[in-house]
């Protein structure tokens, strides 16, 4: 007589995590409650930035990684936007430079003091104005200095020269609906995007052309995301028609063949 196994075998079955002590965590941070699909935080080798609640505008905290424990409510913030901050991203070439996008339709670039903030920072280094609706996506170019991508609810992707505050490229008409996220490839020659129309696109920003497109990467109506991997494949997360979470790995070079 054979007994059917009722417990799924897993090599991680008896692995348990150890909670980090409170003095090694960041506590009492009033994370923003804006209903936008974002991580609301960004980290680099020196600082942690977190978008927080703010009255009369938008703000985010910048904390040195060593400053753990309970955060004082009076701790200074970066607070130059007139609307809620929706996305932030650290510059990969300078650990003291961060960009932010906001509901006030602007992108701002900030210079953080070497040892962190000692007073509220209200004056950005650069203000980039070009979107007609709120800006929800910020992504620095991975290899070129002073090149920044922004995308907003106007379905437009802008590539900026931060040093001169000029538009390098305006990509309009490639996305018929709201853009959920954008991800550069390793050398910055292409970027992929996930859109509300359920399509994942690979775009050449210099030519302003669509290189490849996968329609209905995930058939669910909830937001999805797409990122470029180091080998050129695209990894996506989304939902099925029954709202079941899905993960997929795509190879754009083989007619968007799904690997998982």
């Amino acid at each position: 007589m054979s007994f059917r196994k009722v417990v799924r075998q897993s090599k991680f079955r008896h692995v348990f995590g150890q909670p980090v002590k409170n003095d090694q965590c960041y506590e009492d941070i009033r994370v923003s409650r804006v209903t936008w699909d974002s991580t609301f935080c960004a980290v680099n080798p020196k600082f942690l930035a977190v978008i927080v609640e703010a009255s009369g505008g938008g703000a985010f905290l910048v904390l040195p990684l060593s400053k753990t424990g309970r955060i004082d409510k009076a701790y200074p913030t970066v607070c130059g936007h007139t609307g809620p901050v929706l996305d932030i991203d650290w510059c990969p070439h300078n650990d003291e430079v961060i960009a932010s996008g906001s509901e006030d339709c602007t992108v701002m670039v900030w210079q953080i003091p070497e040892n962190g903030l000692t007073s509220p920072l209200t004056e950005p280094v650069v203000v980039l104005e070009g979107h007609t609706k709120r800006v929800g996506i910020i992504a620095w170019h991975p290899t070129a200095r002073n090149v920044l991508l922004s995308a907003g609810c106007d379905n437009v992707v802008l590539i900026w020269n931060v040093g001169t505050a000029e538009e390098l490229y305006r990509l309009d008409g490639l996305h018929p609906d709201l853009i959920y996220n954008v991800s550069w490839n390793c050398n910055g020659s292409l970027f992929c995007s996930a859109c509300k129309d359920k399509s994942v696109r690979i775009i050449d920003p210099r030519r302003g052309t669509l290189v490849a497109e996968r329609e209905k990467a995930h058939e669910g109506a909830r937001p999805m995301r797409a990122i470029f991997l180091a080998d050129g494949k695209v990894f996506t997360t989304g939902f099925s028609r029954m709202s079941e979470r899905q993960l997929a790995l795509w190879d754009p070079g083989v007619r968007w063949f799904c690997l998982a």
Side-chain angles (χ1 to χ4, degrees):
M1 183 177 181
S2 62
F3 292 93
R4 186 174 62 178
K5 295 179 181 179
V6 295
V7 178
R8 186 178 62 179
Q9 296 298 318
S10 172
K11 60 183 179 181
F12 302 110
R13 180 179 170 190
H14 301 293
V15 176
F16 299 94
Q18 182 67 34
V20 177
K21 295 181 179 179
N22 290 343
D23 61 354
Q24 296 177 321
C25 299
Y26 302 91
E27 290 192 302
D28 206 22
I29 296 177
R30 298 170 288 107
V31 180
S32 174
R33 296 183 181 179
V34 175
T35 55
W36 182 260
D37 188 30
S38 171
T39 58
F40 291 103
C41 68
V43 67
N44 69 7
K46 293 183 64 174
F47 297 107
L48 167 70
V50 183
I51 302 174
V52 296
E53 292 182 355
S55 57
F60 58 94
L61 280 172
V62 175
L63 303 170
L65 295 184
S66 59
K67 186 176 177 56
T68 55
R70 188 172 298 277
I71 306 301
D72 190 343
K73 292 183 179 180
Y75 194 87
T77 60
V78 180
C79 50
H81 284 286
T82 58
V85 177
L86 301 180
D87 196 20
I88 50 179
D89 192 31
W90 289 103
C91 176
H93 308 290
N94 188 333
D95 289 340
E96 296 163 7
V97 173
I98 187 171
S100 59
S102 168
E103 282 193 3
D104 62 11
C105 307
T106 65
V107 177
M108 294 185 180
V109 180
W110 309 85
Q111 178 76 40
I112 306 300
E114 183 178 356
N115 297 320
L117 297 177
T118 56
S119 61
L121 183 59
T122 59
E123 294 296 329
V125 177
V126 178
V127 179
L128 305 175
E129 298 179 324
H131 289 282
T132 58
K133 294 184 179 180
R134 56 183 179 174
V135 183
I137 298 171
I138 299 292
W140 288 95
H141 195 281
T143 58
R145 285 181 176 272
N146 292 331
V147 176
L148 178 69
L149 178 151
S150 65
C153 291
D154 50 10
N155 306 336
V156 175
V157 177
L158 296 179
I159 312 293
W160 300 92
N161 181 338
V162 174
T164 59
E166 296 177 332
E167 288 183 18
L168 295 177
Y169 305 101
R170 173 177 287 265
L171 306 178
D172 196 356
L174 296 177
H175 297 89
D177 212 328
L178 180 67
I179 304 169
Y180 285 140
N181 89 293
V182 167
S183 174
W184 291 99
N185 66 354
C186 286
N187 60 18
S189 61
L190 303 170
F191 68 83
C192 68
S193 64
C195 184
K196 192 175 181 180
D197 67 353
K198 304 179 184 179
S199 292
V200 175
R201 296 174 174 85
I202 294 179
I203 296 170
D204 184 335
R206 294 179 180 86
R207 298 180 179 179
T209 57
L210 187 65
V211 176
E213 180 179 5
R214 171 65 189 189
E215 298 179 356
K216 294 184 179 180
H218 299 278
E219 296 189 350
R222 300 172 67 181
M224 64 178 183
R225 291 199 166 239
I227 61 171
F228 255 119
L229 302 183
D231 60 0
K233 296 182 177 63
V234 176
F235 180 75
T236 63
T237 64
F239 297 86
S240 68
R241 290 182 179 178
M242 304 302 293
S243 292
E244 297 171 327
R245 187 174 293 277
Q246 293 181 330
L247 309 175
L249 182 63
W250 305 92
D251 188 346
V254 193
R255 295 184 181 180
W256 286 92
F257 179 70
C258 184
L259 304 176

